[in-house]
Amino acid sequence: MNITIVGTGRVGSTLAKRWLANGHRIIFGTRDPDSEKVRDLLAGLGPDASAKGLAEAAREGDVILLAVPWEAAIDSVCSLGPLKGKVLIDATNPIEMNFDGLQRGLLVGHTSSAAEQIASVVDARVVKAFNQAGTDVMARSDVSESMHAHFVCGDDEKAKQIVVGLAEELKYRVVDVGGLRQARLLEPLGMLWIHLCFLRGHGANFCFNMTNLPK
Ligand SMILES: NC(=O)c1ccc[n+]([C@@H]2O[C@H](COP(=O)([O-])OP(=O)(O)OC[C@H]3O[C@@H](n4cnc5c(N)ncnc54)[C@H](OP(=O)(O)O)[C@@H]3O)[C@@H](O)[C@H]2O)c1
């Protein structure tokens, strides 16, 4: 599959490595494809990874992963050009990405979500995923479905199935939470992970699981 990843930071580069290892092609959408940072990233990823401007990268992707800070999310998706029919995975958590921001918590919630706000400005099939564990977890190929339940939601069932597949490839137990509105639940779950990691001393090597008890 051709996967466009918007953002060449921690989430973008980590999931790129995992999906490249599974045979996908990665096209980064970046503000500056010629920057040293992007050149260094590509040098470590091999021939199936490339970087382009935002709209050009978006044109090439069957699926687009949005992995930018919340403050840049709406501008970034609006710079991707026409997205009709494309699957857009929203991995953002609507927080300010600094220590004060972590303490303040989510900037959107209860009556809306980052995913719904993104969906309201683009004509794409938006699915929320990959926001509930940090990149240390995403990077690990020894995480299995008995360890990590990964929650996804979205209004388009076929789009959601594609994203379920991309998460199952990482060996997560994927749980469909319903429509995109349920991002109002998944973003607080991401915030819980961040809180436990950065403010409660649990470090970055943990993830959430879901246990079905015997009847
Ligand atoms: N870090 C985690 O463990 C984690 C886990 C789950 C979800 N998330 C969420 O995923 C998103 C990305 O997180 P991240 O940790 O990958 O962030 P990051 O390391 O800071 O990378 C974000 C990337 O977004 C791009 N970008 C576009 N506009 C930007 C702007 N105005 N300011 C800064 N960067 C901008 C940059 O790529 P270019 O310079 O190439 O454009 C940058 O490398 C966030 O919404 C975060 O809440 C993070």
Side-chain angles (χ1 to χ4, degrees):
M1 193 182 291
N2 288 343
I3 306 176
T4 295
I5 298 185
V6 181
T8 56
R10 286 161 291 194
V11 171
S13 59
T14 305
L15 287 176
K17 275 185 205 130
R18 298 292 315 275
W19 284 329
L20 282 165
N22 291 341
H24 298 290
R25 191 175 150 240
I26 300 293
I27 310 103
F28 286 103
T30 167
R31 293 170 297 175
D32 184 0
D34 298 319
S35 70
E36 199 178 330
K37 176 186 97 164
V38 172
R39 279 206 306 271
D40 287 349
L41 172 63
L42 292 179
L45 293 179
D48 289 331
S50 59
K52 309 208 160 142
L54 294 174
E56 198 184 343
R59 269 198 301 277
E60 292 189 20
D62 307 307
V63 170
I64 300 169
L65 172 76
L66 182 67
V68 301
W70 169 241
E71 67 202 38
I74 298 292
D75 281 353
S76 298
V77 290
C78 289
S79 305
L80 294 176
L83 297 179
K84 195 167 175 56
K86 304 251 188 202
V87 178
L88 179 73
I89 309 173
D90 170 32
T92 67
N93 279 312
I95 55 169
E96 220 178 291
M97 287 172 74
N98 53 47
F99 192 69
D100 287 348
L102 299 187
Q103 288 183 306
R104 266 197 294 279
L106 294 175
L107 301 169
V108 179
H110 297 293
T111 55
S112 184
S113 61
E116 290 165 278
Q117 295 196 4
I118 287 163
S120 74
V121 297
V122 288
D123 197 10
R125 301 144 80 200
V126 178
V127 177
K128 187 88 201 179
F130 303 109
N131 71 308
Q132 308 135 44
T135 49
D136 293 70
V137 176
M138 292 176 194
R140 291 178 67 143
S141 54
D142 60 345
V143 170
S144 71
E145 54 190 32
S146 64
M147 299 173 189
H148 183 28
H150 199 82
F151 301 99
V152 305
C153 67
D155 292 333
D156 184 305
E157 293 302 324
K158 285 190 179 152
K160 196 159 49 179
Q161 279 321 304
I162 291 169
V163 180
V164 166
L166 287 169
E168 283 180 344
E169 278 182 21
L170 306 186
K171 308 282 183 245
Y172 302 160
R173 173 183 176 186
V174 185
V175 181
D176 179 350
V177 182
L180 195 64
R181 193 175 195 271
Q182 307 312 334
R184 298 176 194 184
L185 305 178
L186 302 195
E187 290 165 13
L189 187 59
M191 192 66 232
L192 176 62
W193 190 95
I194 292 165
H195 182 80
L196 292 171
C197 171
F198 292 105
L199 304 175
R200 299 298 301 167
H202 287 268
N205 277 305
F206 73 94
C207 51
F208 298 126
N209 202 353
M210 181 169 142
T211 305
N212 292 93
L213 301 177
K215 290 190 177 146

